[in-house]
Amino acid sequence: MAAAAESGARTWPGSGSPRLGSPAGSPVLGISGRARPGSGPERTGRSIGPAAPGHSFRKVTLTKPTFCHLCSDFIWGLAGFLCDVCNFMSHEKCLKQVKTPCTSIAPSLVRVPVAHCFGSLGLYKRKFCVVCRKSLEVPALRCEVCEMHVHPDCVPFACSDCRRCHQDGQQDYDTYHHHWREGNLPSGARCEVCRKTCGSSDVLSGVRCEWCGVQAHSVCSAALPPECTFGRLRSMVLPPSCVRLLSRNFSKMHCFRIPETVALELGDGDDGLDGSAATGLGREMLTATESTKQTLKIFDGNDSMRRNQFRLVTVPRLARNEEVTEAALRAYYINEDPRDFQLQALPLTILSGNAQAPGKAGTTEEEASKGSGPRDSMPEAWVIRSLPRTQELLKIYPGWLKVGMAYVSIRVNSESTARSVVQEVLPMLGRQVEDQERFQLIEVLMSSRQVQRTVLMDEELLLDRLWDIRQTSVRQVSQTRFYVAESRAMAPHVSLFVGGLPPGLCLQDYSNLLHEAMATKAAVVSVSHVYSLQGAVILDVTCFAEAERLYMLARDTAVHGRPLTALVLPDVLPPTSQHTKLPPDCCPLLVFVNPKSGGLKGRELLCSFRKLLNPHQVFELTNGGPLPGFHLFSQVPCFRVLVCGGDGTVGWVLAALEETRRHLACPEPSVAILPLGTGNDLGRVLRWGAGYSGEDPFSVLVSVDEADAVLMDRWTILLDAHETDSTENSVVDTEPPKIVQMNNYCGIGIDAELSLDFHQAREEEPGKFTSRFHNKGVYVRVGLQKISHSRSLHKEIRLQVEQQEVELPNIEGLIFINIPSWGSGADLWGSDSDSRFEKPRIDDGLLEVVGVTGVMHMGQVQGGLRSGIRIAQGSYFRVTLLKATPVQVDGEPWVQAPGHMIISATAPKVHMLRKAKQKPRKAANIRDTRVDTLPVPESNP
């Protein structure tokens, strides 16, 4: 065999190893009425050098002003150069500077194939498809992990070039290179090199690194160092080298805990043109074409015929055979010699679902229309077929690093087997003395949604393998790679989080329970961690098939009436691991988002934080709660937490932190808040504002990084109800004691009664409670209904402070406050000095007790006209309820039976992050940080 080693091509944009463009005369595809280029307009011919990698440019006459994809300026003079395959438009003066590769060769420039995570269809204004470069004027798809936008019908042609966020069994890179994504930059984006504008809302131009966020022109990006430092957020990002996840049987949606939504798939729908329009292929709707034009349905192989997935191509009726073949290839972004392909006509029986065997689908194009005469009776549909080849040039990629090249090229013939290819390639990669039997050839299919790996048998004939791939789909060859890798026996290992189990059991009980509910196999499944208080376990599964079975089964299984929750969790390698080490200045941020808070703004924040950080460090609280996140970070020596939600969400996370503290290598992480709720009193006190109103998520993360660490008291409330007689059967009912945690305040009486009415209204119609304005309006309406209510709470409860009985005035509500903000920012304690009490602080170990006389009094406090009635201040309280009374703790209300409430300080104090006013100021010692009385910021409109 003839062989030629080639030097490695770096990730685009760069010089790379360009492939030849198509011959002159190839048309622009899929656009009805587009003029045939070979009959008049001047062409540039093949793109040969690295200045235009893979493009096939032709000079076109423009009918309207168009922008250059390189410099984003108008193309004056009504003349420009257009790529026949990917619609790249350029000035003539810019042609020599084009670095962006054509869509036809983009898969060959991917360094590490990683599949995308596409969400549901959405409308994205002033965004462009990265495949066809056209505007997203119809519902399109967006990757939930990177910045890629794409039309639904362009998904099969997109590269599997998503960010690599974890190790997946392969050897990793020593350094991280920039992960460039073209276009869809803000219109005011500035180039890092020339400082000129590189973003545009009119065209797909400029590049942005998916990790560090640096932006530049595609030409200027070559002047930047190839290594990526993760940018401004580098201390907050969980490095991919520290995360290990073997994801053989799981999609990326499973790995990143992204709920799977029903996305519009290519080819779904009815047969024929109607089915095409339903999948987005009819984006440019068919209209009555000129008498000199005709529209054809083109299939690219057996798979597209089986799925009825076709592309529409418009060609002149007098087009010759080779011209139609060129048009069909360009429709599928295939930039190969048209002489290596042919078209086969498809009879109507194929289109109606009666598929025939390959090779018998119809007559060949040459038989259907011999010679070069007119095509008066062209069939409606065609399939592209590859002609048999006696040899092919094949790229072989090394399955290890530090070999000085990206791939080597060899020629394979009818006698070439997988073993012979391995033996030929190893010396070219500098492995002459290696035991060649230890290496194998791996086929990798780099589709945009999934990267599939197949180990080829030693006797597999490579030429036959390529022929089978082309028969299935001619475009699939460009998305297929062959790797030479050492055959290692990889030990399967998957960590599954299973929640929703009964709390309070031991390890053996949980094992028996799971075996009974899901028939777990003891030989490959073991319980590695037990979180008894939360009713959750971590399963170690040493079989990929069993892990997938348990994951899918858990979603449809209930134990004791409660549905189970299953999550796939990666392993964060500890600093002592020989494989990796966290940078010394790295303090990753663990992000929790409640998507139901803040008028459903949490859903968009989830996507934003996944793109700015490593998606493995972002957790959706409605999918398993906070426990999976704390377990994942249990080996991280230093990390911070960001909670996106209301005060109730913050309390939920802090309670989970308290319960898991003994399992953490960093038992006291600092917690920041992005307020999404209605009241957000704790967020106000810590300067995070009255509520999230659409700020840039990047600036939010910068503020978290610059925030000051402070301490805050937390309080434990023991609820011990008395025995009560049932009115019907005179049976004595006893409520077991329970413990709740308090961060902000605890209300008894009218305050809790209003919260309970609001909570019940929201439970009845949750869809109406999606804005803070509406929520506050409901509070006002509920309050007006209670304005004439009189409870005489002082006769229904008894209060002891530090073992001393305190006489209560005539009040309707008693409130214990830990922070100087209550009821959406009101100052309930007041700012007046009082010699009887100390000046309140959030870390002084004291609670302030305040009374209110009714709804009118509460309204005056909200308006800043009055303060509450100061009653006491202390660190230990005992409240006796003489009858059932409404109680609320941090906005969570209920009716408490008669009995005792004991409130005492919880140790240790919790570490919070307070937003810095101006310059970032780092606390020297978090434990010694004290917090004075904090001013309540003004509410945002």
Side-chain angles (χ1 to χ4, degrees), residues 17 74 142 360 492 614 691 721 737 848:
S17 179
F74 276 115
R142 177 185 65 178
K360 297 182 181 181
N614 190 325
E848 288 69 49

Side-chain angles (χ1 to χ4, degrees), residues 532-548:
S532 180
L533 294 177
Q534 294 90 350
V537 298
I538 306 295
L539 299 181
D540 276 349
V541 188
T542 58
C543 173
F544 289 130
E546 177 68 5
E548 184 183 29

Side-chain angles (χ1 to χ4, degrees), residues 277-519:
T279 62
L281 288 175
R283 192 169 64 247
E284 297 164 2
M285 299 301 296
L286 293 178
T287 58
T289 59
E290 304 175 8
S291 60
T292 59
K293 301 287 183 180
Q294 62 179 342
T295 301
L296 307 177
K297 292 192 292 187
I298 304 295
F299 298 86
D300 79 324
N302 298 337
D303 187 64
S304 62
M305 287 193 297
R306 179 176 59 85
R307 299 173 180 270
N308 193 32
Q309 299 173 355
F310 54 85
R311 304 284 286 180
L312 300 178
V313 176
T314 299
V315 295
R317 289 189 178 275
L318 299 180
R320 299 176 182 272
N321 299 336
E322 61 272 15
E323 295 171 346
V324 179
T325 304
E326 282 188 42
L329 292 174
R330 300 302 175 264
Y332 283 95
Y333 299 93
I334 300 172
N335 209 355
E336 297 186 31
D337 193 340
R339 293 172 296 184
D340 294 332
F341 300 88
Q342 67 176 359
L343 293 181
Q344 289 182 352
L346 291 181
L348 294 179
T349 54
I350 292 292
L351 300 180
S352 62
N354 299 325
Q356 301 179 15
K360 297 182 181 181
T363 59
T364 64
E365 182 191 16
E366 185 176 355
E367 295 172 347
S369 179
K370 295 184 178 181
S372 57
R375 304 176 56 90
D376 296 329
S377 57
M378 183 172 291
E380 183 185 20
W382 299 80
V383 59
I384 308 173
R385 292 299 188 190
S386 176
L387 294 175
R389 306 181 185 186
T390 58
Q391 62 177 5
E392 286 201 43
L393 186 66
L394 196 63
K395 294 180 180 177
I396 307 296
Y397 292 78
W400 60 88
L401 302 179
K402 301 179 182 179
V403 295
M405 57 190 70
Y407 59 83
V408 294
S409 295
I410 64 172
R411 292 194 179 276
V412 295
N413 55 33
S414 59
E415 299 179 356
S416 301
T417 63
R419 174 51 50 192
S420 66
V421 168
V422 170
Q423 294 173 349
E424 182 176 356
V425 167
L426 285 177
M428 300 169 62
L429 297 175
R431 296 296 181 104
Q432 296 90 340
V433 298
E434 297 281 355
D435 182 7
Q436 297 182 353
E437 297 299 324
R438 293 192 295 109
F439 294 87
Q440 58 190 3
L441 195 63
I442 302 176
E443 178 187 300
V444 177
L445 175 60
M446 307 186 304
S447 63
S448 60
R449 294 182 183 272
Q450 188 176 8
V451 177
Q452 301 175 346
R453 298 173 175 85
T454 304
V455 178
L456 300 183
M457 302 297 293
D458 288 347
E459 62 275 9
E460 183 91 37
L461 296 174
L462 267 297
L463 206 60
D464 291 346
R465 184 74 177 183
L466 293 172
W467 171 257
D468 292 340
I469 294 174
R470 283 195 168 94
Q471 289 295 102
T472 302
S473 169
V474 292
R475 65 176 171 82
Q476 187 172 314
V477 176
S478 64
Q479 297 179 327
T480 303
R481 282 186 182 177
F482 294 92
Y483 285 81
V484 171
E486 189 172 358
S487 54
R488 297 177 179 176
M490 183 181 61
H493 170 75
V494 178
S495 295
L496 282 182
F497 168 87
V498 179
L501 297 168
L505 303 182
C506 65
L507 185 149
Q508 188 60 44
D509 291 338
Y510 281 123
S511 298
N512 296 337
L513 190 62
L514 290 173
H515 179 72
E516 179 182 350
M518 298 190 295

